[in-house]
Amino acid sequence: MEKLVNQVRTALKEWGAFHVINHGVPLKVIRNMRAKLAGFFAHPLEEKQKFVRDILSSSDYHNQDHRNRDWCEVYDYLLNSSCQKPENPPGFA
């Protein structure tokens, strides 16, 4: 466990991110999720702002992530969240 923690720490310090592999999530599910997110982010800003997070929600869309200024748009999605899910692209939720 200590080795893993050190590897994650190093990846975050040197690259700012890491990619988890061999986690058991089927590739089909990952590709579908990426396609749905790409469809969502392709919408005009006005459409995406219908799902802007607020003080009560830790998920949804935001484009002001102050932790990493290189990322300009984020959609945080929690599986058991009660946040409003976009209907477009179809099947997003």
Side-chain angles (χ1 to χ4, degrees):
M1 182 58 77
E2 185 176 339
K3 179 181 177 184
L4 175 62
V5 170
N6 287 330
Q7 289 173 327
V8 170
R9 181 181 297 120
T10 298
L12 291 172
K13 282 182 178 179
E14 294 180 10
W15 293 92
F18 63 93
H19 187 118
V20 178
I21 61 172
N22 299 325
H23 42 62
V25 177
L27 187 56
K28 182 179 178 180
V29 172
I30 294 170
R31 287 183 175 154
N32 183 51
M33 177 198 65
R34 287 180 177 164
K36 298 298 182 190
L37 285 170
F40 174 79
F41 285 119
H43 282 82
L45 181 60
E46 298 80 31
E47 180 70 21
K48 293 180 282 194
Q49 286 181 324
K50 293 177 183 177
F51 305 96
V52 170
R53 70 170 48 180
D54 60 27
I55 195 159
L56 300 175
S57 175
S58 61
S59 60
D60 288 337
Y61 171 79
H62 59 109
N63 61 358
Q64 297 176 357
D65 189 344
H66 300 293
R67 296 166 294 167
N68 187 335
R69 296 192 186 278
D70 292 338
W71 295 349
C72 60
E73 292 187 299
V74 177
Y75 189 93
D76 292 322
Y77 181 83
L78 305 174
L79 290 177
N80 295 320
S81 173
S82 61
C83 68
Q84 181 182 4
K85 307 294 187 299
E87 295 178 10
N88 197 358
F92 185 83

